[in-house]
């Protein structure tokens, strides 16, 4: 039969406990065979298998949210918490972290600006959260490390993939995105409505389910391998059986469906409209949570199946359910054309098939069970029951759930407007916002508020909704913590910038060249030769680009000045002034740069793109001088200076300008004012600089690696973890594309500097998969510094 090898799933037990809809479930690590449930009743509950019978016992009830709890996941065990932790997300915008034996949260993660509706945990303690605020956030311990921005609507589903650093998000914008080290690598399109659930099949494949009533199987590479149809309404959740590709889904069509070998092998109807969530236990039993607040467990095992009385009670409850024809679960129904009870004499053709009959003027729905060989009554079909709005949180509007979505007609002829409303909202405030949003006359305020109150029949809940200001202000796709706190560098650090930066070369004597290599890769470690000293990191000073040929630069400037338009042309005097500036800033004369020289330089760097590069080169060299650095990076002028440099970091621009702009940014670190400015503008500069990775110019790659290294040097001193997270993300992203070993070397030094003396940064680097990314450089033969530096970094990881 279609029901698969192991026979059919039947009820194991029904668990009462929650006072409202059960919205999330996850298998527990402790106690074994248990699970955790969360509900609109604002609690999370831990359930343990009951040794004596087929049921479960509630171990304890956890409270910490001031509003509905919508999702839950387990954070794997660590040395500190050997039984793992429980993370829950709620409509109060918060994430609560619990230990398995305390009803109050260990700590609360704040930062999202709307409901947190999905959570997933990875190795090394990372947690990924998805929210209606359209972002996903990556957390480590008690801190937000990164914010993933790119979706245009609520994120309903998140999953961390087995391969380090890869994450998935599914959204009400109908797309799924794959993120690597905090950057969007790929967008999967195909679903025709909100994506609601994600499940991982392997390192290469995953499943998604959506409001379009379909399940899709995808390859990480972007290809959709298969689409599964069966549900007749929104699919809310999807869960995979251990060690195979079969899965289960639940949805708004009152059903749990079990899929084997790509087919829907069994459909179990429930006496509740919305079956919100499911999870599969290690023994293959399926736990489901629904809008009636009851958790039900189904099993294939005969030993664990409920008693005949319990199964009968479940079927009675099911047969008394009223099915609203408007939900479309049973297709279009015309009561006059329906057959009578005799129609149930014919057996069904497949499991889960439904039949409607008319008996004494009442319409009843039945479903065929293959394993039992009979029709089971699944409810009475009622006229318009009017209860659909009330099936909790069922209405979607602009990708978010509401208790009600009213249609308001302001006047006969005009358009109608949608007014979404939750019973936790203030009717007056909602009415006011609705009138504002739709540019309607404020005199309707009383009318609209009264309409809401009349139509929600006084169902209001008093809540203390604390609004937390979001600490993550930065702009751009990647929004780590605002870096203002880290701008004041406590110690004055004179960056002398001497010569081109080649560590390794001067101190090669420290490395035994012909000696036994202590890192054989076989884990054999011989202490005799282990005296190789780490001369590479943590790096203490910024690295600058100092090489220059004055005659060539000035010669090129004069040549291009000849072809400049009248408005841009420099006079003979201007050229002499710039020559003096060069010698003043490159230590060839004892003079201090003058205001006049700097004005002339500013005029030159604003030349058109195709001729500006020699002027940029003069800027690159002179910005190392404290006077010039102060002038361009001080409070009053720095905005246009940064805007100018970022303008050149345009992937479509000229490579010479890209290179010199990056080198100028590196050289800004040579003096205090520049360093302060670079740290204040880190987020924007790095977001723009990373775009330079795509070319194949090795000098640009070296400059990009050096900029990252200079940031690492500063971040090591102030220990700003959000800043480190951004740099680690950049290192991981740039490592993927860079071939040049000097650039790789500088990225390795940056990495070593970022993670030195910081266990959180080490954990974060591992969770981004950087450890596996760099291993190949441990066997580079030339230059030796790449191999040596790499091994020191690998030892830290």
């Amino acid at each position: 039969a279609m029901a698969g090898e192991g026979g059919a799933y039947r009820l194991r037990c029904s668990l009462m406990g929650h006072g409202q809809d059960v919205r999330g479930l996850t298998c527990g690590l402790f106690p074994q065979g248990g699970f955790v449930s969360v509900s609109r009743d604002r609690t999370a509950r831990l359930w343990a298998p009951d040794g004596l019978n087929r049921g479960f016992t509630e171990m304890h009830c956890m409270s910490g949210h001031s509003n509905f709890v919508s999702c839950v996941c387990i954070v794997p065990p660590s040395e500190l918490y050997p039984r793992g932790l429980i993370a829950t997300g709620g409509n109060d915008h918060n994430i609560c972290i619990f230990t398995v034996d305390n009803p109050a949260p260990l700590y609360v993660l704040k930062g999202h600006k709307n409901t947190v509706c999905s959570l997933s945990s990875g190795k090394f303690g990372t947690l990924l959260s998805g929210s209606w605020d359209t972002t996903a956030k990556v957390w480590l311990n008690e801190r937000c490390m990164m914010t993933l921005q790119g979706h245009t609507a609520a994120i309903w589903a998140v999953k961390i993939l087995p391969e380090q650093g890869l994450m998935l998000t599914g959204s009400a914008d109908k797309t799924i995105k794959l993120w690597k080290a905090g950057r969007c690598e790929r967008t999967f399109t195909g679903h025709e409505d909100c994506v609601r659930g994600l499940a991982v099949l392997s390192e290469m494949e995953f499943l998604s389910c959506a409001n379009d009533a379909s399940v899709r199987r995808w390859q990480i590479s972007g290809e959709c391998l298969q689409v599964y149809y069966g549900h007749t309404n929104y699919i809310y959740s999807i869960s995979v059986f251990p060690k195979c590709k079969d899965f289960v889904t639940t949805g708004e069509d009152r059903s749990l469906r079990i899929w084997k070998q790509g087919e829907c092998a069994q459909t179990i109807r429930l006496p509740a409209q919305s079956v919100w969530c499911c999870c599969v236990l290690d023994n293959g039993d399926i736990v489901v949570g629904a809008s009636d607040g009851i958790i039900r467990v189904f099993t294939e095992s005969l030993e664990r199946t409920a008693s005949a009385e319990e199964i009968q009670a479940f079927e009675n409850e099911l047969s008394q359910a009223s099915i609203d024809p408007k939900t479309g679960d049973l297709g279009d129904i015309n009561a006059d054309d329906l057959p009578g009870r005799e129609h149930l004499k014919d057996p069904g053709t497949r499991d889960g098939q439904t039949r409607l009959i008319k008996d004494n003027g009442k319409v009843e729905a039945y479903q065929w069970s293959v394993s039992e060989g009979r029709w089971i009554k699944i409810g009475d079909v009622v006229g318009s029951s009017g209860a659909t709005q009330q099936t909790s949180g069922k209405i979607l509007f602009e990708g978010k759930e509401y208790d009600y979505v009213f249609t308001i007609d302001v006047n006969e002829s005009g358009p109608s407007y949608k007014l979404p409303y939750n019973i936790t909202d203030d009717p007056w405030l909602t009415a006011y916002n609705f009138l504002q949003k739709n540019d309607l006359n404020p005199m309707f305020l009383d009318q609209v508020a009264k309409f809401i109150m009349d139509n929600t029949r006084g169902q209001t809940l008093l809540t203390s909704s604390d609004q937390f200001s979001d600490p993550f202000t930065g702009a751009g796709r990647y929004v780590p913590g605002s870096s203002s706190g880290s701008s004041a560098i406590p110690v004055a650090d004179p960056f002398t910038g001497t010569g081109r930066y080649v560590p390794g070369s001067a101190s090669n004597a420290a490395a035994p060249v012909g000696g036994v290599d202590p890192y054989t890769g076989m884990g054999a470690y011989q202490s005799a030769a282990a005296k190789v000293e780490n001369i590479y990191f943590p790096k203490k000073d910024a690295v600058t680009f100092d090489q220059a040929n004055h005659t060539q630069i000035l010669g090129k400037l004069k040549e291009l000045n000849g072809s400049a338009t009248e408005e841009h042309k420099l006079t003979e005097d201007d050229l002499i002034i710039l020559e003096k500036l060069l010698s003043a800033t490159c230590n060839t004369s004892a003079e201090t740069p003058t205001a006049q020289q700097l004005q002339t330089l500013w005029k030159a760097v604003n030349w058109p793109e195709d001729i500006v590069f020699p002027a940029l080169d003069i800027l690159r060299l002179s910005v190392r001088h404290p006077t010039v650095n102060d002038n361009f990076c001080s409070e009053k002028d720095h905005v246009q200076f940064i805007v100018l440099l970022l303008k050149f970091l345009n992937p479509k621009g000229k490579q010479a300008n890209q290179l010199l702009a990056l080198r100028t940014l590196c050289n800004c670190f040579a003096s205090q004012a520049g360093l302060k400015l670079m740290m204040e503008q880190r987020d924007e500069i790095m977001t723009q600089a990373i775009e330079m990775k795509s070319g194949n110019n090795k000098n640009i790659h070296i400059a990009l690696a050096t900029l990252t290294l200079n940031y690492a040097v500063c971040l090591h001193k102030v220990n700003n973890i959000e800043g480190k997270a951004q740099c680690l993300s950049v290192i991981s992203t740039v490592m993927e594309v860079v071939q040049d070993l000097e650039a790789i070397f500088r990225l390795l030094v940056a990495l070593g500097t970022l993670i030195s003396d910081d266990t959180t940064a080490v954990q974060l680097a591992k969770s981004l998969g950087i450890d596996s990314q760099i291993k190949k450089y441990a066997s580079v033969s030339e230059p030796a510094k790449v191999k040596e530096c790499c091994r020191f970094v690998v030892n830290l990881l």
Side-chain angles (χ1 to χ4, degrees):
M2 295 268 299
E5 305 338 281
Y9 274 84
R10 303 184 65 182
L11 185 71
R12 170 176 168 181
C13 59
S14 301
L15 306 171
M16 323 286 177
H18 284 294
Q20 289 186 50
D21 307 47
V22 177
R23 288 303 303 258
L25 288 164
T26 187
C27 297
L29 281 171
F30 174 87
Q32 255 202 319
F35 61 88
V36 185
S37 59
V38 297
S39 160
R40 280 171 70 110
D41 68 9
R42 307 183 183 192
T43 68
R45 293 166 200 251
L46 177 63
W47 303 83
D50 183 328
L52 303 171
N53 59 26
R54 309 176 189 89
F56 287 81
T57 316
E58 185 183 311
M59 300 267 292
H60 72 258
C61 177
M62 294 159 274
S63 306
H65 289 280
S66 61
N67 207 326
F68 307 152
V69 192
S70 27
C71 55
V72 59
C73 84
I74 298 288
V75 178
S78 60
E79 283 176 28
L80 202 53
Y81 301 105
R83 292 172 164 186
L85 295 168
I86 296 165
T88 60
N91 284 42
D92 57 4
H93 313 177
N94 293 344
I95 299 163
C96 291
I97 307 289
F98 297 91
T99 57
V100 293
D101 41 21
N102 190 335
L106 182 66
Y107 52 87
V108 178
L109 303 176
K110 298 178 181 194
H112 278 297
K113 297 191 179 79
N114 208 324
T115 295
V116 177
C117 52
S118 182
L119 290 166
S120 174
S121 62
K123 293 179 185 162
F124 314 110
T126 45
L127 183 68
L128 176 62
S129 60
S131 163
W132 289 0
D133 66 12
T134 77
T135 72
K137 288 182 185 286
V138 182
W139 309 81
L140 183 56
N141 307 329
E142 296 177 49
R143 303 289 294 276
C144 175
M145 294 291 149
M146 298 181 185
T147 298
L148 310 183
Q149 288 196 318
H151 282 294
T152 55
I155 294 180
W156 275 103
V158 296
K159 269 284 177 283
I160 294 183
L161 286 159
E163 189 191 323
Q164 247 79 84
L166 289 184
M167 298 175 179
L168 288 171
T169 54
S171 162
D173 65 14
K174 307 178 190 172
T175 71
I176 299 160
K177 288 182 184 289
L178 173 72
W179 307 78
K180 178 153 193 172
R183 296 179 172 276
C184 181
E185 288 262 304
R186 184 166 295 116
T187 300
F188 302 79
T189 54
H191 278 297
E192 288 158 30
D193 205 339
C194 301
V195 178
R196 295 297 289 260
L198 292 165
V200 177
L201 286 172
S202 68
E203 288 209 350
M204 299 313 297
E205 288 183 23
F206 66 92
L207 296 164
S208 61
C209 65
N211 281 359
D212 61 11
S214 77
V215 173
R216 286 173 178 259
R217 182 162 63 95
W218 305 86
Q219 227 162 5
I220 297 284
S221 57
E223 198 187 338
C224 179
L225 302 174
Q226 205 172 347
V227 185
Y228 308 87
Y229 295 104
H231 280 277
T232 56
N233 206 326
Y234 301 164
I235 306 177
Y236 292 135
S237 109
I238 184 161
S239 186
V240 177
F241 283 102
K243 302 182 190 52
C244 72
K245 293 201 170 181
D246 296 337
F247 57 93
V248 296
T249 50
T250 64
E252 184 60 26
D253 58 5
R254 309 156 38 102
S255 75
L256 151 71
R257 290 174 196 249
I258 296 150
W259 303 78
K260 298 199 170 168
Q261 281 109 45
E263 303 272 342
C264 178
Q266 192 184 351
T267 302
I268 297 173
R269 299 273 170 179
L270 294 171
Q273 182 66 50
S274 311
V275 191
W276 289 120
C277 51
C278 59
C279 73
V280 180
L281 302 178
D282 290 341
N283 61 10
D285 286 7
I286 302 165
V287 188
V288 296
S291 52
D292 58 3
I294 298 172
I295 297 167
R296 294 178 179 86
V297 187
F298 295 89
T299 185
E300 277 186 308
S301 141
L302 294 172
E303 300 83 89
R304 294 195 295 273
T305 303
S307 66
E309 296 81 55
E310 286 171 281
I311 288 182
Q312 193 54 55
F314 171 66
E315 286 187 11
N316 292 347
E317 195 186 355
L318 190 59
S319 70
Q320 286 154 22
S322 31
I323 300 172
D324 180 354
K326 284 215 297 284
T327 59
D329 298 347
L330 303 166
D332 291 331
I333 299 168
N334 184 347
D336 304 334
D337 303 341
L338 291 175
R341 188 164 294 287
E342 68 285 351
H343 190 44
L344 298 178
K345 292 202 176 73
D346 306 328
T349 52
R350 59 182 172 80
D351 194 84
Q353 178 185 2
T354 52
R355 250 176 211 179
L356 301 179
I357 62 153
K358 197 167 168 190
D359 193 35
N360 297 331
K362 272 201 343 229
V363 177
E364 298 178 359
Y366 285 81
Q367 173 179 305
W368 180 251
S369 163
V370 168
S371 56
E372 317 238 336
R374 64 188 177 103
W375 290 97
I376 297 174
K377 185 179 175 197
I378 57 168
D380 295 306
V381 180
V382 290
S384 88
S385 66
T388 49
Q389 291 266 299
Q390 217 18 62
T391 56
S392 49
K394 146 85 173 62
I395 319 290
L396 261 105
F397 178 66
E398 292 177 350
K400 296 181 189 170
E401 291 183 323
Y402 293 94
D403 294 318
Y404 298 89
V405 176
F406 298 113
T407 304
I408 307 259
D409 295 303
V410 181
N411 53 33
E412 301 294 302
S413 55
S416 60
Y417 299 92
K418 294 282 186 217
L419 185 155
Y421 179 75
N422 282 318
I423 44 187
T424 50
D425 295 343
D426 175 299
W428 295 94
L429 190 61
T430 305
Y432 174 77
N433 289 337
F434 164 77
L435 296 171
Q436 289 279 96
K437 180 182 173 181
N438 296 298
D439 283 334
L440 298 171
N441 192 325
M443 63 176 239
F444 289 125
L445 184 64
D446 287 358
Q447 239 174 303
V448 176
K450 187 172 179 322
F451 172 85
I452 294 172
M453 290 185 280
D454 292 348
N455 284 281
T456 52
R457 295 187 299 283
Q459 287 203 351
T460 49
L461 300 172
L462 290 169
T463 56
S464 57
S465 79
D466 303 322
Q467 294 296 323
F468 296 105
S469 64
D470 189 315
F472 309 97
T473 52
R477 282 174 311 168
Y478 171 104
V479 191
S482 62
S483 51
S484 53
S486 60
S487 54
I489 306 283
V491 273
D493 203 315
F495 294 107
T496 51
T498 44
R500 206 173 68 104
Y501 167 62
V502 192
S505 56
S507 352
N508 252 349
V513 182
V516 183
D517 188 326
Y519 311 98
T520 58
M522 299 296 293
Y525 179 85
Q526 293 154 347
S527 56
K531 295 190 173 56
V532 183
E533 194 190 343
N534 182 356
I535 51 174
Y536 303 109
F537 62 83
K539 183 105 182 77
K540 296 286 192 283
D541 303 309
V543 177
T544 51
F545 288 91
D546 308 308
Q547 279 181 315
N549 181 328
H550 294 195
T551 334
Q552 273 184 341
I553 294 172
L554 290 164
K556 196 70 184 164
L557 189 73
K558 283 172 186 164
E559 177 197 324
L560 292 170
N561 191 43
S563 65
T565 56
E566 281 314 307
E567 57 168 325
H568 291 116
K569 221 182 231 13
L570 299 172
T571 62
E572 280 305 311
D573 286 353
D574 287 341
L575 291 168
I576 293 165
I577 288 170
L578 288 176
E579 194 168 348
K580 282 193 174 149
L581 174 64
L582 255 185
S583 57
T585 54
C586 295
N587 312 335
T588 44
S589 76
E591 293 172 35
T592 304
T594 65
Q596 184 194 23
Q597 289 169 357
L598 295 175
Q599 275 163 337
T600 309
L601 175 58
W602 186 249
K603 181 178 169 186
V605 294
N606 280 286
W607 270 7
E609 272 193 42
D610 47 339
I611 60 170
V612 74
F613 66 92
L616 275 181
D617 217 2
I618 298 175
L619 178 64
R620 183 254 315 179
L621 288 163
S622 53
V623 80
R624 297 168 308 160
H625 191 288
T627 312
V628 184
N629 198 296
D630 279 356
N631 178 76
F632 286 124
C633 302
S634 68
E635 292 302 317
K636 83 179 190 315
D637 295 321
H638 72 250
V639 178
Q640 68 231 52
F641 176 65
I642 289 289
V643 167
L644 173 91
L645 291 176
L646 293 185
K647 180 185 80 184
F648 293 121
L649 298 185
N650 169 358
K652 297 189 178 67
K654 287 180 79 74
Q655 286 200 333
N657 298 342
Q658 295 170 352
L659 175 64
L660 292 166
L662 284 171
R663 287 181 172 179
T664 304
L665 289 166
C666 292
N667 287 359
C668 284
F669 284 89
S671 198
Q672 203 53 42
L675 189 139
K676 184 166 180 285
L677 172 64
M678 296 300 286
M679 289 302 276
E680 279 169 5
Q681 305 290 323
R682 181 200 80 233
D683 190 30
E684 206 154 334
I685 291 170
M686 286 303 251
T687 301
Q688 200 56 48
I690 187 91
E691 299 300 324
M692 298 297 98
K693 74 179 174 37
S694 46
N696 49 5
N697 180 315
K698 71 172 203 173
N699 288 326
I700 289 179
H701 286 164
I702 291 170
L704 178 55
T706 309
L707 180 63
T708 312
L709 172 53
N710 286 353
Y711 272 116
V713 169
C714 295
L715 289 164
H716 177 65
K717 291 177 184 152
V718 294
N719 197 14
N720 162 340
I721 192 67
E722 289 85 359
K724 286 186 175 186
Q726 186 183 22
C727 278
L728 288 169
S729 168
V730 168
I731 290 169
S732 171
T733 309
V734 176
M735 282 262 182
E736 291 280 287
V737 292
V738 170
Q739 303 291 314
D740 182 77
L741 288 174
E742 180 61 33
I744 292 290
F745 173 65
R746 294 184 183 203
L747 289 169
L748 288 169
V749 176
L751 175 57
T753 303
L754 284 169
I755 63 176
S756 290
D757 321 312
D758 184 346
T759 49
T760 307
V762 169
Q763 273 182 293
L764 185 61
K766 283 179 168 173
S767 67
L768 293 176
I770 296 178
D771 49 345
S772 53
Q773 242 179 331
I774 63 171
K775 286 207 171 85
K776 60 181 177 199
Y777 298 113
S779 52
V780 168
S781 51
E782 278 301 311
K785 62 181 186 179
V786 173
K787 167 173 72 180
E788 286 167 14
C789 183
C790 179
R791 291 177 179 181
F792 284 119
V793 177
V794 169
N795 280 353
L796 282 185
L797 292 167

